Amino acid sequence: MSRSLTIARPDDWHLHLRDGAMLEAVLPETARHFARAIVMPNLVPPVVSGADAAAYRDRILAALPEGMAFEPLMTLYLTEDTDPEDVAAAHASGLIKAVKLYPAGATTNSASGVSDFNNVRATLEKMAEIGLPLCVHGEVTDREIDIFDREAVFIDRVLDPIRRATPGLRVVMEHITTRNGADYVMANETDLGATITVQHLILDRNDMLVGGMRPHYYCLPILKRGEHRAALLAAATSGDTRFFLGTDSAPHPTHAKESECCSAGCFTAPNALSILAQTFEEAGALDKLQGFTSLHGPAFYRMPVNSDTITLRKSETATRFPAKIDAGDHTVTVFDPGFPVFWDVT
Ligand code: DOR
Ligand code: ZN
């Protein structure tokens, strides 16, 4: 039975666009479906100043193909040297919409991240004052903490103390992967939201590890137990406005994924919305899809909902997505959910 659903055009509240040939290759995949995206600043070197963000924004817009509309929502990478006044000026001019906190060493290109939170206190206080959200990669990096526990420990040891010490700071817990993350958001009435990726809604760690290691399912924070996936799906399909889509689409060259030391990230930009439509339908929550993809994010970020729409259509034959896209001298492997998807964006 064919079925269709028209919703306000979605935004992606957590996206990696990279730079150069990779940026040119992946940008159309996002711009085709999404009006805006919060663009991660973890380039090499990272986007740390207002001047860096302005230059990166220009490069993104220059890479946008003729006839496509897309608004990059820029972020700054928080370091222990970040100047609160530079942040405030970049926010006041409308250039940046958030600041990103990576604990040092947590993930791809996070070496410049924060080790001592006392050294970023002045910036966090300035952000609370001006209402600029902090996007948080919520994992501790201590060697002795098991990788599957790093999010839960981060909430207790780092996030909750930061929020208590900085009243009014608006925080997005990025790509939550655990029941602990969802519960923490639900227990806090104000100033807290969370993004959830497509892969964390549909996969658990068995999908990545049973019967062989699947490098294209390796991302950070790492996939967790099935019970956590179930909690995330319940949160995303609940209609609770504190949860919204951040794909964390994170392209790496295929050779860097299919390698002895696989890079973290799933490239979901091309099929994120198709997979989500099917996932929400199977959960009996298709009526909650628009909130998750198109309404809750703008509400948190205090921006208007997009005025145009997209239509998702379900057909009887499975949608075909490209297995790979070309990116300069490399390819990027498109995320394969591991099951046929019958929805497509038309
Ligand atoms: O899987 C991930 N990939 N997680 C991150 O936090 C970073 C991202 C990337 O930049 O590749
Ligand atoms: Zn990310």
Side-chain angles (χ1 to χ4, degrees), residues 23-54:
L23 167 63
E24 283 183 28
V26 302
L27 179 59
E29 301 298 324
T30 287
R32 189 170 294 136
H33 298 158
F34 296 91
R36 302 169 289 200
I38 287 278
V39 179
M40 287 297 117
N42 64 331
L43 305 181
V44 190
V47 178
V48 294
S49 66
D52 292 343

Side-chain angles (χ1 to χ4, degrees), residues 5-283:
L5 178 69
T6 297
I7 59 174
R9 184 173 291 279
D11 302 300
D12 187 347
W13 299 97
H14 181 132
L15 175 67
H16 297 269
L17 284 176
R18 316 297 192 204
D19 218 337
M22 184 65 95
L23 167 63
E24 283 183 28
V26 302
L27 179 59
E29 301 298 324
T30 287
R32 189 170 294 136
H33 298 158
F34 296 91
R36 302 169 289 200
I38 287 278
V39 179
M40 287 297 117
N42 64 331
L43 305 181
V44 190
V47 178
V48 294
S49 66
D52 292 343
Y56 186 31
R57 183 172 190 278
D58 288 348
R59 297 200 297 281
I60 294 169
L61 293 176
L64 190 65
E66 280 284 319
M68 277 189 142
F70 176 71
E71 185 184 354
L73 306 173
M74 306 310 291
T75 63
L76 295 185
Y77 188 122
L78 182 64
T79 76
E80 294 184 14
D81 297 323
T82 297
D83 172 4
E85 294 311 320
D86 182 56
V87 171
H91 172 251
S93 72
L95 174 64
I96 63 161
K97 299 296 182 221
V99 171
K100 176 71 188 243
L101 165 65
Y102 287 104
T107 186
T108 312
N109 306 336
S110 62
S112 320
V114 177
S115 302
D116 181 349
F117 284 87
N118 285 319
N119 294 337
V120 295
R121 187 154 305 283
T123 301
L124 298 182
E125 282 168 6
K126 175 58 79 176
M127 290 169 61
E129 184 192 318
I130 63 181
L132 179 61
L134 180 71
C135 293
V136 176
H137 183 110
E139 289 191 287
V140 291
T141 54
D142 319 35
R143 179 70 185 78
E144 70 274 16
I145 305 294
D146 189 274
I147 189 169
F148 292 100
D149 298 333
R150 288 179 172 197
E151 180 170 298
V153 172
F154 181 89
I155 293 168
D156 292 344
R157 282 197 196 165
V158 183
L159 182 59
D160 200 56
I162 287 179
R163 293 187 62 247
R164 284 176 195 281
T166 327
L169 182 66
R170 311 188 66 236
V171 173
V172 182
M173 294 173 70
E174 304 261 60
H175 43 51
I176 56 168
T177 62
T178 57
R179 174 183 294 285
N180 313 61
D183 284 350
Y184 185 74
V185 173
M186 287 188 277
N188 289 272
E189 281 303 311
T190 54
D191 297 331
L192 190 60
T195 59
I196 310 180
T197 76
V198 173
Q199 67 266 22
H200 291 101
L201 288 176
I202 63 168
L203 301 177
D204 62 38
R205 63 194 196 180
N206 278 8
D207 296 302
M208 178 176 60
L209 296 173
V210 173
M213 273 203 294
R214 292 180 184 75
H216 296 289
Y217 288 172
Y218 175 66
C219 64
L220 290 171
I222 200 161
L223 295 169
K224 305 295 194 301
R225 286 179 176 276
E227 68 197 68
H228 292 293
R229 185 192 71 84
L232 299 174
L233 185 61
T237 57
S238 67
D240 186 325
T241 59
R242 292 168 290 191
F243 298 100
F244 39 94
L245 174 62
T247 66
D248 199 11
S249 181
H252 292 275
T254 298
H255 69 81
K257 293 291 296 174
E258 297 173 1
S259 127
E260 188 180 13
C261 182
C262 160
S263 301
C266 302
F267 179 54
T268 54
N271 51 11
L273 292 173
S274 298
I275 298 170
L276 277 180
Q278 179 149 321
T279 304
F280 274 61
E281 183 189 35
E282 284 170 2

